[in-house]
Amino acid sequence: MSEEPASETPRAGLSRRGLLGLALGAGAAGVAVGAGAASAIALTRPDAASVADTHQFYGAHPAGITTDVQDHLHFAAFDVMEGASRQDLVELLQDWSYAAARMMLGLEVSATGAVGGSPEAPPDDTGEALGLPASNLTITIGFGPTLFSTAEGVDRFGLASQAPGSLAALPPFLGDDLDPGHTGGDLCIQACADDPQVAVHAVRNLSRIAFGRARLRWSQLGYGRTSRTSATSKTPRNLFGFKDGTANILADDTAALDEHVWVSADDGPTWLAGGSYLVARKIAMKIETWDRVRLAEQERVTGRAKGTGAPLSGGDEFAAPDFAASGAAGLAIDPRSHVSRAHPANNGGIRMLRRGYNYVDGNTALGRLDAGLFFLGYVRSPDRFITVQRSVATDLMMEYVTTVGSGIWAVPPAPSEGSFVGAGLFS
Ligand code: HEM
C-alpha cells in the first residue's frame, strides 16, 4: 500500500461527512463524490509498475466474483445504526466506494492516509498495510433483505419498493443450527486478497469509516481458498482433504455466467442488473469424526476420489460424472453423495459460482478444532441456491457438517467511475 503526497487530490470523492468525519477542520467537509473522483484515483496511483496485482472497483460486474480466487478472506456483515437516515446510508456507500476503489489500487483510504494528515488528529488510514502491495485485493459489497425492510416490516430508508422480489432471509434448512451472531446483516463486505493483512486492513478501515452509520454485526476470517474461478489455477482442497472447485463456473465462461450468476435486466430490479446474489454459509466440519472414517467411505460421501478429484464413475478430475455408471457394488456414484446431490443434472440444470474459504476459529471446549468451510456462492436468483441447498441438505456429507452461520445479500453491479456502489437504488 502506497503513500502519496497529501497535496494530491485531497479527499476528492468523499461524502459531505468525509471519512469518518475524521480530521475535523482539515478541509474535508463540503466535498461531494464527483465524476472526477475515480480518474483522480487512477492518476494518483504512484507505483505504476505494480498494477499487475490490482483490480478495478469500477466497471461492469462487481470485482471479487469471477476474479481469480485469492488466498485469504475477511468477510464482514454490518447493520445500519438505529436512527441513521437514507442520506447517511448514501454517504456511507459513497465513502465505502471511494475508500474501496483506492485500496484495490494499493492506495491508502484517503490522500492524507496514515501519516500525511494533521498530527493533532487520528489518521484517516490505520496504517498496517503501508508498504504492502495491493495483493489482488477485491472488495465486494452486498445489500441484505433487512436493508429494504426489517424483520418487523419497517422500511427505514424508503427502499422497500426497490427490493428484489426474491430477496428474503433464507428459509431454515435441515442441518442448520444458526448462531444469530453469525447470521444476516443489512450490508456485507467480502474482502479477498493474497495477503491476509491487506484483507483485514480493508475491512478494518471500512468498519471505521462506517462509524456512527453502520456497525459490525459479525465477521469471518478465511484462509486457503476452496474453489477456483480460472482454468489456470490448480483446484485447491477443503478441510476434508478433497479437491474443491473442480466443477465451478470459471471466469472465461461468459455464457454460464450470464445464465447462472449475473442478474439480467429482465430479471429486475433494474439497479441490480449486472450484479448477483451472494449466499454465505458458515459450515462447521466435524473434522475429528471425518478423520476416523475410512477412505472408501469418505469418497462415497463425496462422490469423487480423494487423490485425483475424479468422479467415482471414472476418468480424470474434469471428466463429467456418470450417475448411471455401475461400480463394484451398485452405482459407482452414490445418489446420496454430495456431488450427486449438488450436480446440475439433479437440480434442474442450476449451477452456481463458488468461492469459499477454509476457516479455523481455534478449538471447542471439547478440544476439537472449531473449523470448517465458509461457503460463498453467487447465483442469479436466491431460489436457485435454495433448490441446491435443499438437495444437499439430505446428502451423505450432512452427517459431518453443521451450518452455524448464514446470510444472503444482493450485490449491485460495479459502479461507473466516480459513482458509488448501489447508486441506481437511490436514483
Ligand atoms: C462443508 C461443506 C461442503 C463441502 C466439504 C463441499 C465439498 C465439495 C466437493 C469436494 C465438491 C466436488 C468438487 C467440485 O466440483 O467442486 C463439491 C461440489 C459442489 N458443491 Fe459442495 N461442499 C460443501 C457445501 C456445499 C454447499 C452448501 C453447496 C450449495 C448449496 C455446495 C454446492 C456444490 C456444487 C454446486 C458442486 C458442484 C457439483 C457438480 O457440478 O458436480 N456445496 N463440493
Side-chain angles (χ1 to χ4, degrees):
M1 186 146 296
S2 313
E3 297 171 56
E4 60 182 302
S7 57
E8 278 185 72
T9 60
R11 296 167 182 273
L14 290 184
S15 74
R16 237 177 322 113
R17 184 179 298 207
L19 279 174
L20 282 172
L22 275 180
L24 289 174
V31 184
V33 167
S39 46
I41 291 164
L43 287 173
T44 53
R45 182 177 166 82
D47 182 6
S50 60
V51 289
D53 70 355
T54 65
H55 298 277
Q56 286 289 338
F57 183 70
Y58 303 107
H61 300 301
I65 300 179
T66 58
T67 312
D68 209 357
V69 187
Q70 303 91 325
D71 290 333
H72 296 273
L73 166 79
H74 195 179
F75 185 89
F78 294 82
D79 283 335
V80 181
M81 304 279 276
E82 211 171 297
S85 65
R86 180 180 167 109
Q87 185 59 26
D88 290 330
L89 176 60
V90 168
E91 291 182 2
L92 170 62
L93 296 172
Q94 289 173 334
D95 290 351
W96 271 2
S97 299
Y98 176 75
R102 289 184 60 95
M103 288 190 283
M104 282 172 56
L105 290 174
L107 297 169
E108 299 176 77
V109 295
S110 77
T112 53
V115 294
S118 162
E120 305 308 324
D124 281 358
D125 190 291
T126 53
E128 72 272 28
L130 276 179
L132 297 177
S135 308
N136 285 307
L137 173 70
T138 53
I139 294 167
T140 316
I141 295 171
F143 300 163
T146 49
L147 191 71
F148 300 89
S149 176
T150 63
E152 295 75 37
V154 180
D155 180 7
R156 290 171 290 169
F157 309 111
L159 297 175
S161 63
Q162 298 265 51
S166 55
L167 183 66
L170 290 169
F173 300 107
L174 264 181
D176 281 7
D177 186 12
L178 301 183
D179 169 3
H182 269 96
T183 298
D186 294 338
L187 298 162
C188 80
I189 294 176
Q190 172 201 281
C192 301
D194 288 326
D195 183 330
Q197 180 97 334
V198 170
V200 169
H201 169 265
V203 166
R204 175 179 175 191
N205 279 270
L206 294 171
S207 304
R208 191 160 179 265
I209 288 168
F211 182 78
R213 296 175 281 184
R215 83 172 147 251
L216 198 56
R217 179 182 170 94
W218 59 276
S219 66
Q220 183 65 50
L221 285 175
Y223 75 94
R225 61 201 173 85
T226 62
S227 207
R228 59 179 198 125
T229 50
S230 109
T232 50
S233 11
K234 240 173 92 185
T235 315
R237 289 182 186 268
N238 59 39
L239 290 179
F240 282 159
F242 277 74
K243 288 192 179 185
D244 206 340
T246 301
N248 207 19
I249 299 181
L250 304 183
D252 58 2
D253 192 349
T254 49
L257 289 166
D258 285 342
E259 192 183 339
H260 299 285
V261 178
W262 305 131
V263 175
S264 78
D266 290 341
D267 295 338
T270 320
W271 62 266
L272 192 54
S276 189
Y277 291 89
L278 164 62
V279 175
R281 305 275 289 166
K282 182 172 181 178
I283 307 174
M285 290 167 146
K286 296 169 191 162
I287 303 271
E288 291 76 7
T289 312
W290 178 261
D291 292 345
R292 287 195 292 268
V293 173
R294 63 199 173 87
L295 175 62
E297 178 64 5
Q298 291 186 0
E299 293 185 332
R300 185 175 78 95
V301 165
T302 307
R304 287 183 177 270
K306 192 165 189 174
T308 61
L312 295 182
S313 49
D316 64 10
E317 181 190 347
F318 298 104
D322 178 353
F323 298 110
S326 301
L331 291 171
I333 302 178
D334 193 305
R336 287 187 62 208
S337 65
H338 180 68
V339 160
S340 179
R341 288 299 175 89
H343 196 272
N346 300 320
N347 291 291
I350 295 170
R351 297 181 70 196
M352 60 182 77
L353 185 147
R354 291 168 287 142
R355 48 177 297 132
Y357 287 83
N358 298 315
Y359 76 86
V360 178
D361 290 351
N363 55 275
T364 68
L366 295 174
R368 297 189 176 137
L369 275 184
D370 184 355
L373 182 128
F374 193 72
F375 173 95
L376 293 168
Y378 285 90
V379 281
R380 184 170 159 185
S381 61
D383 57 298
R384 295 171 184 237
F385 173 82
I386 293 169
T387 299
V388 180
Q389 176 59 48
R390 285 200 170 123
S391 177
V392 300
T394 53
D395 71 16
L396 294 169
M397 201 178 266
M398 280 304 297
E399 194 178 333
Y400 306 97
V401 298
T402 306
T403 302
V404 295
S406 181
I408 184 164
W409 295 268
V411 176
S416 53
E417 288 207 357
S419 185
F420 63 96
V421 64
L425 179 57
F426 300 92
S427 57

